[in-house]
Amino acid sequence: MDIKVILLSIGASFLLAVLLGPLFIPLLRRLKFGQQIRSDGPQSHLKKKGTPTMGGIIIMLATLLAFLKFSDKTAEFWVLLIASLGFGLIGFLDDYIKIVFKRSLGLTAKQKLIGQFLFAVIICFLLYQMNHSTMVNIPGTSIDLEFGWFYYPLVVIMLFGTTNAVNFTDGVDGLLAGTGAVAFGAFTLLAMHASEHESAIFSAAMIGALLGFLVFNAHPAKVFMGDTGSLGIGGGMAAVAILTKTEFLLVIIGGVFVIEMLSVILQVGSFKLRGKRIFKMSPIHHHFELSGWNEWRVVITFWAVGILFAAIGLLLGR
């Protein structure tokens, strides 16, 4: 695979995100699309109230334009496009309802579930039409398991799990943009190794878009991505893992996202069963903030852990 195209995809999406930022951020501010802040969260976050959100539009648009330019428009192209833009659309509607209609929860759980299931079914249908392999490799081994028809429920679980795990990670300036770029960096290399052109181009475009967005999202953030960005990122990441046949590796490469989701599950479970909380606040990045860590320390530490997980994933995926 031509490394030049990969680098061009990263560069193009990065430049697009950097150029789109100054256009969209003032627009979001004028439309009063400001972030609502939880009163029970870290007190340092209260000053962020009103910061423009829905900046995920910048990420999605930059990724889309670069992907359209350098992709070959194969069947894999449509899987990646529907996974990222479809789930991103659900996030957009959720953000829009929260902000415009002043509903703190946005879409109801049932509405989100129906929307996510709809796009997951479309993706499963496309995979079936492509005769996509239903074999799944055990990372670090030569063992392949044949899932047969059970592969499609696995796809649905991957899409649901990844989008929610990535969504939980978005809560501190620059945290998701950085860890997301690292994870997509690993998937770019894996896709290149597997000669999965579309997945490599998409992952590269996402790297550039996330790094370009980070220019405005690093602490102190001038814009937040909102669910528009986090759900779109999660959907795209799951699709890349599916197409590159690294389904189980996703759990390792996305280790930070898994930890974030598990912290929420453990916190809720512990409180319901014992009436006690394990963490000061979940997701776990807020626990460290309430323990006295400043935002940069939290972000840099989680980026480092993300790099470690990505490296382990690459070693196992060789």
Side-chain angles (χ1 to χ4, degrees):
M1 184 173 292
D2 191 353
I3 186 66
K4 180 181 177 181
V5 178
I6 299 296
L7 294 176
L8 284 172
S9 183
I10 294 173
S13 58
F14 175 83
L15 184 60
L16 284 166
V18 170
L19 292 174
L20 289 170
L23 296 176
F24 273 92
I25 294 172
L27 176 61
L28 293 171
R29 188 176 288 112
R30 283 198 298 273
L31 292 172
K32 297 183 179 180
F33 285 2
Q35 179 72 32
Q36 300 297 313
I37 303 297
R38 290 172 57 178
S39 59
D40 60 338
Q43 294 300 298
S44 61
H45 285 210
L46 295 178
K47 61 186 178 183
K48 300 180 181 184
K49 185 176 181 179
T51 300
T53 188
M54 294 177 72
I57 297 171
I58 297 170
I59 299 171
M60 293 295 104
L61 192 54
T63 301
L64 173 63
L65 292 174
F67 190 40
L68 285 171
K69 171 65 178 176
F70 297 106
S71 65
D72 290 337
K73 317 300 184 301
T74 62
E76 288 81 1
F77 167 85
W78 293 106
V79 170
L80 292 161
L81 203 65
I82 291 170
S84 55
L85 296 188
F87 281 87
L89 175 61
I90 295 170
F92 174 85
L93 293 174
D94 192 43
D95 287 334
Y96 187 83
I97 292 170
K98 286 178 185 175
I99 296 165
V100 176
F101 296 99
K102 309 299 181 185
R103 279 172 48 180
S104 60
L105 296 179
L107 291 172
T108 65
K110 184 179 180 180
Q111 289 169 335
K112 281 185 182 178
L113 186 65
I114 292 172
Q116 291 176 326
F117 186 73
L118 173 64
F119 285 113
V121 168
I122 293 172
I123 290 165
C124 286
F125 176 75
L126 290 174
L127 292 172
Y128 176 76
Q129 291 292 102
M130 292 163 48
N131 291 317
H132 184 70
S133 173
T134 54
M135 300 281 284
V136 179
N137 177 256
I138 303 298
T141 75
S142 58
I143 300 173
D144 291 317
L145 302 178
E146 175 55 73
F147 272 59
W149 281 101
F150 291 104
Y151 182 77
Y152 299 103
L154 174 64
V155 168
V156 175
I157 291 170
M158 287 178 65
L159 288 163
F160 274 66
T162 308
T163 50
N164 283 288
V166 170
N167 183 248
F168 284 135
T169 308
D170 184 30
V172 181
D173 297 355
L175 178 57
L176 177 52
T179 52
V182 168
F184 275 110
F187 279 116
T188 300
L189 294 175
L190 289 170
M192 291 173 66
H193 179 71
S195 297
E196 286 290 339
H197 178 79
E198 303 294 332
S199 295
I201 296 298
F202 176 84
S203 297
M206 190 64 84
I207 293 170
L210 286 167
L211 293 179
F213 182 75
L214 190 58
V215 171
F216 310 103
N217 185 238
H219 184 71
K222 297 179 180 65
V223 65
F224 301 133
M225 68 174 70
D227 288 358
T228 306
S230 60
L231 294 186
I233 292 166
M237 191 177 298
V240 169
I242 291 163
L243 292 174
T244 55
K245 302 305 300 172
T246 54
E247 294 92 345
F248 289 167
L249 269 182
L250 174 61
V251 178
I252 299 170
I253 293 173
V256 168
F257 313 128
V258 174
I259 290 170
E260 293 275 22
M261 184 168 66
L262 286 177
S263 72
V264 174
I265 294 171
L266 291 172
Q267 183 86 323
V268 173
S270 177
F271 188 75
K272 286 186 175 180
L273 293 174
R274 305 187 304 141
K276 296 181 180 180
R277 293 180 173 86
I278 299 173
F279 308 106
K280 294 182 178 180
M281 185 177 176
S282 65
I284 197 170
H285 56 258
H286 289 316
H287 169 81
F288 290 110
E289 284 190 281
L290 293 175
S291 297
W293 288 26
N294 62 41
E295 284 197 46
W296 268 118
R297 183 181 178 187
V298 172
V299 170
I300 295 298
T301 301
F302 276 60
W303 284 357
V305 173
I307 291 170
L308 177 62
F309 277 124
I312 294 171
L314 286 172
L315 287 173
L316 293 174
R318 292 181 61 182

